[in-house]
Amino acid sequence: VFQEMFKAECYFINGTEEVRYVRRHFYNRLQYAMFDSDVGHFVGFTPFGEKVARYWNSDPDFMERRRTAVDWLCRHNYKVFTP
């Protein structure tokens, strides 16, 4: 059985002053690509992940959505994510 999944995480430092958005992509429990809002682009960890990261990084609309996730996902849901 093959499984593909992604996990999106928001890290809050000083409330909503400093926010970091991390999105990790896995295939069969192996991380193949990751987006970090501090870095600003996808990074591949396997040959397949490098190819996928290049493809995603070349799409300006897709990347703009990932880069702005700090605001529309993390900061918007701050009260939901924090106890």
Side-chain angles (χ1 to χ4, degrees):
V1 174
F2 299 107
Q3 294 182 344
E4 183 170 9
M5 66 171 280
F6 79 90
K7 183 175 184 178
E9 303 167 308
C10 295
Y11 298 97
F12 300 98
I13 302 144
N14 240 358
T16 58
E17 290 295 313
E18 219 177 305
V19 181
R20 183 175 170 213
Y21 171 71
V22 177
R23 180 180 172 121
R24 303 172 203 272
H25 290 262
F26 301 90
Y27 184 74
N28 281 352
R29 292 185 274 171
L30 176 67
Q31 181 175 319
Y32 67 88
M34 180 179 87
F35 175 83
D36 186 336
S37 63
D38 288 350
V39 177
H41 63 271
F42 278 92
V43 176
F45 297 104
T46 65
F48 173 71
E50 290 173 2
K51 183 178 177 182
V52 170
R54 274 194 305 275
Y55 175 75
W56 285 336
N57 290 335
S58 69
D59 184 342
D61 293 332
F62 181 80
M63 289 306 295
E64 184 64 23
R65 184 80 171 150
R66 298 299 158 258
R67 290 184 184 116
T68 59
V70 167
D71 293 321
W72 61 262
L73 178 66
C74 297
R75 285 192 176 104
H76 178 74
N77 291 305
Y78 176 70
K79 291 184 179 181
V80 174
F81 293 146
T82 57

